[in-house]
Amino acid sequence: MAAALAATTALGLTACGGSDSGDSADSKTVRVTLANHVWTENIKKALPEFEKSSGLKVEITQLGEDQLSDQYNVKLNAGSSDLDVMMYRPLQEGKLFAKNKYLADLTDKVTSAKDWNWDDFQDGPVGATTFKDKVVGVPLITEQEVLYYRKDLLKKAGIAQPPQTLDELKADAAKIAQQNPGIAGFVARTGKSAAVTQFSSFLYSMGGDFIDDSGKAAINTDAAKKAYALYGGLIKNYGPKNVSTDMSWPEAMAIFTQGKAAFYTEADSLYANATDPAKSKVSDTVGFAPFPAGPAGSKPYNVPSWALGINEQSKNKDNAWKFIKWATSKEMVLANQKAGVPGARQSVWENPEGTATYPKDLAAAIAVSTKNGVGHDRPLVIKVPEAREIVGQPIVDAITGQDVAASAEKAQQAFQALLDDENK
Amino acid sequence: MAVQTPAHHAAPARSAPTPGWARWANRHMKWLFAGPAMAFVAVLIIFPVGWTVYLSLTDAEGSVRADKSFIGLGNYLDVLTDTDRFWPAVGRTVAFTGVALLFEVVLGMAVALLLWKPFRGEKWVRAAILLPLVATPVAVGMMWRLILDPNIGFANQALGWFGIGPQPWLSGQKTALMTTAMIDVWQWTPMVVLILLAGLTSLPEEPHEAALVDGTTGWQRFRYVTLPMLMPTVIVAILLRGIDAIKTFDILYATKGKGGGSFHEVETLNVYAYGLSFDYNEYGIASAVLVIFFLIIVGSMWVLTARRKEDS
Amino acid sequence: MSRKRTPYSVFRVVALVVVVLALIGPLVWMVLASFKTTVDIYDAGKAIFFTPTLDHYAKVLKQANYVQYIVNSFWVAFASTVISSILGVPAAYSMSRFSMRRSSLVVLMARVIPGVSLLVPWFYVFSNLHLVGGYTVLILSHMFVALPLIVYIMMGFFDSLPLELEEAARVDGLTAIGAFRRITLPLSLPGIATGGILAFIFSWNNFMFALVLSGAQTKTLPVAIFNFVGYASIDWGGLMAAATVVTLPIIVIALFTQKYIVSGLTAGATKG
């Protein structure tokens, strides 16, 4: 009986083994983990041709952003080798992953691939995927913040052109909100963590930053307080009724594409959600403009939002590299950019075809942003998630009408403590 | 699969002598039967618990494989003096569990009394009662997100018919936690109803009939006859629900996401521990929180079971 | 208090209707929303009367690979339930007959531990054992819920089973194990069904373990619908269709096995 029990249990377990962990060196299967993104959808469509030409089998795991980081945490922590290629956020996990030695050193690989041309990648993004002079990732998608707006509502309000300054943005939003009951003048992300990246352009344009040049926390400066009050005030005064403070881009985008808001500041890489008639009720009247200028000018972020890296524990690094090389080749970046995903290759941006499919005003707005852009959209620290929650607190406090100055002072202390802790 | 029906009933008496291994097996049947299950649980529990206790005494962060140093009770000190996140999370855990349990027991008792006497169509009502508690919690969370959406949800429309203004529900800083508690009440009151019904139907009838003869009111009968006899069952219901309510995760995570919302408005200890582990990678502090959380659960269970022993 | 039908009073009818509506209403609302176009979901006037569409279901089942997730959920629930029964039923028998209260506490401890504390260490161990990547980790983690449940239910069941039959069998010359196999086990089928069905349901609904431990090919339904939110924009219709796909099978199972579920959930509740 006992033997039978043990046998059945063992059988049961081995039968449920599913895929084995394929530890043979250079297995023909490359395991790739990707985030939910337009880029991923495009890559999946193109995959068969790569599999045919390379003779490799690509196994894709596709996850939402939150679950992606949970999975990485567990798997990389356990030293798991069943991830080969990882799509990761250089500004979010980059420092942590590199510090924990989760990312393989790709320096030799990128420099030796001559016709793939590493030099073609823009400096800003490359800086973000380089750690202590070692290349640990290949930038995949770049993002700039732009202003999404509704041409029809502006026309109705007699406003000739999209707002050039943040003051004009406020005035226009107020005017439109007053004219159209049920339509918000302005919408943007409101979730504490999610809003930080989109708030950053407001902060820079007001003349502030998260951390000053001497490495000290700087979110209680006058510029920062003004930026918090402006961003939060726009949503509180002219935003949607009963606004939730948990909105990330899907929720904010939904309000804009349902025709319930006039202005929306968001990453340009998501523009297809607003221009695709299948997803958006306002696809024919949406316009794009450069980020409005503050006292310090128009200073939107310009960042590599996603990159591809190889797991240090992977037993299949060479084949993983083959996949990355293909996915970031000139042709693929161009194809992706045509499908609405801005890439990091200079030559593709210079190629007229690279921006041919973009709405004209969006291409113009991006050109402006890449010129004045700031290379980070969140505090550059190791503990990004905690830092984002700290610097994001005054945003939600401003949205809910609490004392912004006091909140910024409190956040400053917490943020400085975090910086001190990291620089110990 | 797990069960073999006997080929022929009742073996003939004293058939072939049993082989040696079988004799051994019979002598050690007690542990042979209980051993595998206990070993499974022990292996799956002992290592994680030991590991968690060990990590809670170190400054592990970033990666569990990174270098860490032993810091004694430092994490516990940090956690217990943290009035920003830890104590509010304890407060929310207590509030969520307390409110949910209170409503579940009171409503559950009312519904159980309602269903106690048989009536036409009770089969249908009992089937209806079962549905919320087998529904998948994550799906339930999504479902309520739509119903409680401040702008397009049915809940605010319904309030509008009675002239009540729209409520923020899940998106309100002050209302979110109680809203999630109410979702828990919707999902789990049926379980309390079932337990109390089982208790009610097993009660002896004489005391009730005697009370009826004495001409007492319905409320008096409930207060002085039914409730005291049902008390042990009520305690069991509270115990079973309490263990699960205090560890609620699915509904909170499915409705508010990481960190329990922008103001951590639904961040209970379980959600906080999850965030510390998987969002912040603060393994040392997370482990300390988990150890304290575990002690809270075991402590409250112990109090309840001690009460139960006194009562019986 | 004889069990005879009592006549309806007005109050009772109203109370019953309110209870049933409160419990079923939201679920009905969810199912209705899954058949509405997105525009109709936003339209309060179309609450009950609307032109149904199957688009959301087509999208969920086609685009999102849901058939695979349904299979995953089913397989993980089935395997963890069966293995837990094989381990749990004899254990419960032994604990009940030999009054191993302290040992049973070890198994019931599993019900109390917060799941978060298990995830990282488990993964660490399993990946070093090269078990990760398939269903094994998921099945083991779900057994962690199923086994204590089955032991708990079966202990109650065996406690209430009279000893006489086994004793008679022993007099007839059966060994202790033989008596268990030929007499007790066939009698305990209802109990095993009860424990098994509940274990299956709890596994099907489990979210936290699968959230962290499942991969692309092994993702279970609850994780799949949680991921749905990350798509394009809040697609309420699609989300409700996904939620319905997850919930409906389990509701159907529950309606057919009502009796067992009730006896399982109330096991041990009426012991003083």
Side-chain angles (χ1 to χ4, degrees):
Chain A
M1 178 87 196
L5 250 178
T8 345
T9 318
L11 263 178
L13 291 186
T14 42
C16 324
S19 57
D20 61 68
S21 28
D23 269 340
S24 58
D26 289 339
S27 118
K28 282 285 173 211
T29 304
V30 181
R31 275 173 291 227
V32 180
T33 303
L34 304 174
N36 279 341
H37 197 286
V38 185
W39 182 88
T40 305
E41 302 303 327
N42 299 338
I43 275 293
K44 272 167 46 183
K45 286 188 196 111
L47 206 53
E49 58 177 82
F50 170 70
E51 288 184 322
K52 213 160 63 204
S53 66
S54 66
L56 296 170
K57 191 176 166 302
V58 179
E59 222 175 69
I60 289 191
T61 306
Q62 193 182 342
L63 301 164
E65 277 178 40
D66 274 358
Q67 212 201 336
L68 188 76
S69 43
D70 292 353
Q71 289 251 331
Y72 282 161
N73 265 326
V74 175
K75 291 193 170 176
L76 297 170
N77 251 310
S80 170
S81 62
D82 72 347
L83 294 170
D84 299 322
V85 178
M86 309 191 288
M87 181 169 171
Y88 75 102
R89 293 168 289 185
L91 297 172
Q92 182 80 12
E93 299 110 358
K95 263 193 162 177
L96 176 78
F97 282 10
K99 181 175 159 256
N100 290 343
K101 302 192 184 60
Y102 290 161
L103 296 166
D105 179 2
L106 305 178
T107 315
D108 293 344
K109 289 190 165 77
V110 298
T111 46
S112 61
K114 284 285 170 279
D115 45 356
W116 175 74
N117 194 0
W118 176 236
D119 295 338
D120 190 18
F121 287 82
Q122 294 169 339
D123 291 349
V126 165
T129 59
T130 308
F131 184 76
K132 294 189 177 160
D133 300 326
K134 288 196 183 93
V135 177
V136 292
V138 177
L140 210 55
I141 299 160
T142 55
E143 265 177 13
Q144 299 81 22
E145 188 162 10
V146 295
L147 180 69
Y148 293 53
Y149 70 95
R150 288 270 302 280
K151 293 175 185 162
D152 55 333
L153 291 174
L154 258 65
K155 205 164 153 185
K156 185 178 159 195
I159 301 168
Q161 56 168 9
Q164 306 296 300
T165 65
L166 290 168
D167 289 341
E168 281 176 28
L169 173 66
K170 196 169 163 180
D172 292 353
K175 191 169 175 186
I176 293 175
Q178 197 203 344
Q179 269 186 359
N180 307 281
I183 292 185
F186 177 85
V187 72
R189 302 184 192 183
T190 58
K192 178 156 61 171
S193 234
V196 168
T197 50
Q198 309 313 305
F199 160 77
S200 70
S201 303
F202 285 80
L203 178 65
Y204 310 147
S205 302
M206 295 306 276
D209 200 337
F210 297 108
I211 302 171
D212 65 19
D213 297 337
S214 62
K216 285 266 177 281
I219 50 174
N220 65 343
T221 58
D222 279 348
K225 283 176 183 166
K226 278 190 187 128
Y228 280 128
L230 173 67
Y231 187 95
L234 278 170
I235 293 170
K236 177 173 170 282
N237 302 325
Y238 319 119
K241 275 207 310 274
N242 311 319
V243 73
S244 136
T245 49
D246 295 324
M247 294 201 296
S248 181
W249 71 264
E251 294 86 353
M253 180 67 83
I255 289 175
F256 184 77
T257 55
Q258 285 290 330
K260 303 262 188 229
F263 292 107
Y264 174 35
T265 48
E266 185 55 82
D268 53 4
S269 61
L270 298 169
Y271 86 87
N273 289 294
T275 57
D276 178 355
K279 292 179 181 166
S280 166
K281 281 185 179 173
V282 297
S283 56
D284 48 354
T285 87
V286 59
F288 300 91
F291 192 84
S298 163
K299 294 185 90 170
Y301 63 75
N302 171 29
V303 297
S305 52
W306 292 95
L308 287 179
I310 297 181
N311 175 11
E312 176 66 45
Q313 301 295 326
S314 161
K315 308 255 192 309
N316 204 3
K317 291 200 181 75
D318 290 335
N319 288 332
W321 171 242
K322 279 182 195 157
F323 172 83
I324 294 184
K325 219 166 86 172
W326 165 76
T328 56
S329 64
K330 225 177 252 177
E331 299 73 35
M332 284 307 293
V333 173
L334 178 61
N336 255 307
Q337 203 154 306
K338 278 182 171 166
V341 184
R345 277 180 178 271
Q346 197 52 40
S347 66
V348 174
W349 282 109
E350 284 162 5
N351 180 348
E353 248 190 290
T355 52
T357 54
Y358 283 44
K360 272 207 182 45
D361 52 357
L362 179 65
I366 292 176
V368 174
S369 303
T370 39
K371 253 207 310 284
N372 327 336
V374 178
H376 57 278
D377 60 353
R378 64 202 78 185
L380 288 177
V381 291
I382 293 168
K383 295 183 184 175
V384 176
E386 275 132 306
R388 275 177 84 158
E389 290 196 352
I390 293 170
V391 303
Q393 188 63 53
I395 301 177
V396 282
D397 285 345
I399 292 171
T400 50
Q402 290 162 51
D403 181 349
V404 179
S407 172
E409 291 296 346
K410 197 175 162 207
Q412 168 78 6
Q413 279 177 3
F415 189 34
Q416 188 57 54
L418 182 141
L419 291 176
D420 293 341
D421 185 52
E422 279 197 5
N423 298 328
K424 261 199 307 237
Chain B
M1 166 140 188
V3 184
Q4 295 170 326
T5 35
H8 49 95
H9 286 284
R14 293 172 196 74
S15 51
T18 39
W21 64 266
R23 268 207 305 278
W24 178 89
N26 273 303
R27 251 201 320 275
H28 299 89
M29 171 177 170
K30 176 174 166 179
W31 292 109
L32 203 64
F33 271 28
M38 286 173 65
F40 172 85
V41 174
V43 167
L44 279 191
I45 279 192
I46 286 171
F47 174 74
V49 169
W51 164 286
T52 304
V53 171
Y54 158 70
L55 278 185
S56 74
L57 303 171
T58 69
D59 61 356
E61 65 172 36
S63 162
V64 287
R65 288 180 304 142
D67 300 336
K68 41 191 168 288
S69 45
F70 186 80
I71 54 165
L73 294 175
N75 287 327
Y76 290 91
L77 211 63
D78 283 352
V79 168
L80 292 171
T81 54
D82 169 18
T83 51
D84 234 16
R85 293 287 286 279
F86 175 75
W87 285 109
V90 172
R92 286 186 210 103
T93 309
V94 171
F96 178 94
T97 310
V99 169
L101 277 179
L102 181 73
F103 275 84
E104 278 158 25
V105 169
V106 171
L107 288 172
M109 180 68 85
V111 177
L113 290 172
L114 194 67
L115 300 178
W116 187 10
K117 315 262 176 55
F119 57 93
R120 198 185 299 276
E122 66 177 344
K123 265 216 326 259
W124 296 100
V125 178
R126 287 183 179 218
I129 282 193
L130 211 55
L131 299 189
L133 74 90
V134 296
T136 310
V138 180
V140 167
M142 299 294 172
M143 170 182 99
W144 284 103
R145 264 174 80 162
L146 172 65
I147 295 173
L148 298 170
D149 186 282
N151 299 309
I152 62 167
F154 176 75
N156 279 345
Q157 283 172 28
L159 287 184
W161 301 335
F162 300 103
I164 305 172
Q167 300 298 315
W169 303 112
L170 286 166
S171 54
Q173 201 183 328
K174 297 198 170 58
T175 52
L177 186 67
M178 286 304 117
T179 306
T180 51
M182 286 305 125
I183 296 175
D184 194 78
V185 168
W186 175 84
Q187 175 144 40
W188 292 109
T189 299
M191 172 139 162
V192 179
V193 172
L194 293 178
I195 293 175
L196 294 181
L197 258 180
L200 281 171
T201 41
S202 67
L203 290 183
E205 295 191 3
E206 297 81 21
H208 285 96
E209 278 159 6
L212 214 54
V213 172
D214 291 346
T216 50
T217 63
W219 167 250
Q220 283 172 321
R221 275 203 304 281
F222 171 74
R223 174 75 187 76
Y224 296 104
V225 182
T226 317
L227 193 57
M229 290 203 296
L230 200 60
M231 214 51 208
T233 313
V234 174
I235 300 278
V236 171
I238 293 175
L239 200 64
L240 287 175
R241 263 315 295 144
I243 294 173
D244 289 337
I246 205 168
K247 293 195 299 179
T248 301
F249 176 82
D250 301 10
I251 283 178
L252 301 173
Y253 201 74
T255 49
K256 298 290 284 182
K258 274 202 169 145
S262 276
F263 295 96
H264 304 300
E265 50 268 54
V266 302
E267 187 172 70
T268 58
L269 276 173
N270 213 15
V271 177
Y272 182 43
Y274 184 89
L276 279 171
S277 289
F278 295 106
D279 201 15
Y280 292 178
N281 310 313
E282 295 274 10
Y283 295 102
I285 296 175
S287 300
V289 169
L290 282 164
V291 171
I292 296 168
F293 184 29
F294 184 68
L295 292 177
I296 292 176
I297 298 176
V298 173
S300 33
M301 273 180 67
W302 184 76
V303 169
L304 271 172
T305 40
R307 281 272 326 259
R308 197 179 157 191
K309 283 203 183 73
E310 278 165 37
D311 286 345
S312 54
Chain C
M1 294 281 141
S2 51
R3 302 264 307 161
K4 57 173 184 280
R5 292 228 171 102
T6 44
Y8 286 115
S9 65
V10 174
F11 166 76
R12 200 156 171 208
V13 172
V14 173
L16 282 170
V17 168
V18 168
V19 168
V20 171
L21 271 184
L23 293 176
I24 304 291
L27 290 163
V28 172
W29 190 258
M30 169 178 91
V31 177
L32 284 180
S34 70
F35 289 108
K36 288 179 195 172
T37 59
T38 310
V39 180
D40 285 352
I41 290 179
Y42 280 78
D43 186 348
K46 297 263 176 76
I48 310 288
F49 303 103
F50 57 93
T51 322
T53 167
L54 285 171
D55 290 357
H56 300 305
Y57 285 94
K59 193 170 58 185
V60 164
L61 294 170
K62 260 211 324 264
Q63 162 211 8
N65 200 4
Y66 263 65
V67 178
Q68 174 71 48
Y69 307 144
I70 294 170
V71 172
N72 288 345
S73 269
F74 190 86
W75 168 236
V76 170
F78 176 79
S80 59
T81 301
V82 168
I83 302 171
S84 299
S85 303
I86 294 171
L87 290 178
V89 172
Y93 178 77
S94 204
M95 289 170 185
S96 163
R97 286 292 178 262
F98 304 112
S99 304
M100 303 160 68
R101 290 288 159 225
R102 217 168 279 139
S103 310
S104 71
L105 275 184
V106 172
V107 176
L108 298 182
M109 207 55 164
R111 274 211 59 179
V112 181
I113 286 208
V116 180
S117 56
L118 307 167
L119 290 167
V120 177
W122 277 355
F123 198 92
Y124 190 76
V125 172
F126 289 135
S127 71
N128 285 329
L129 294 172
H130 298 300
L131 279 173
V132 168
Y135 294 104
T136 315
V137 175
L138 277 181
I139 290 168
L140 286 171
S141 68
H142 284 211
M143 277 174 68
F144 198 77
V145 179
L147 186 68
L149 187 79
I150 287 174
V151 168
Y152 179 76
I153 288 173
M154 290 311 291
M155 273 178 73
F157 188 88
F158 289 128
D159 283 349
S160 64
L161 209 62
L163 285 166
E164 287 77 16
L165 288 164
E166 286 166 48
E167 280 162 359
R170 292 298 301 274
V171 171
D172 280 350
L174 279 182
T175 58
I177 293 181
F180 168 75
R181 220 181 66 196
R182 300 189 174 187
I183 309 294
T184 318
L185 211 49
L187 285 174
S188 51
L189 279 179
I192 294 172
T194 300
I197 288 161
L198 275 183
F200 187 93
I201 290 175
F202 279 96
S203 166
W204 181 277
N205 288 347
N206 189 307
F207 173 61
M208 193 205 277
F209 291 156
L211 180 68
V212 176
L213 299 175
S214 68
Q217 279 70 34
T218 56
K219 203 190 289 179
T220 56
L221 279 171
V223 180
I225 79 162
F226 182 72
N227 257 337
F228 201 99
V229 184
Y231 267 101
S233 60
I234 289 287
D235 166 11
W236 286 114
L239 199 56
M240 291 305 118
T244 307
V245 167
V246 181
T247 316
L248 219 49
I250 214 73
I251 281 186
V252 170
I253 291 176
L255 287 177
F256 278 107
T257 56
Q258 215 178 315
K259 187 174 82 201
Y260 295 114
I261 294 179
V262 173
S263 73
L265 287 175
T266 56
T270 50
K271 289 187 305 205

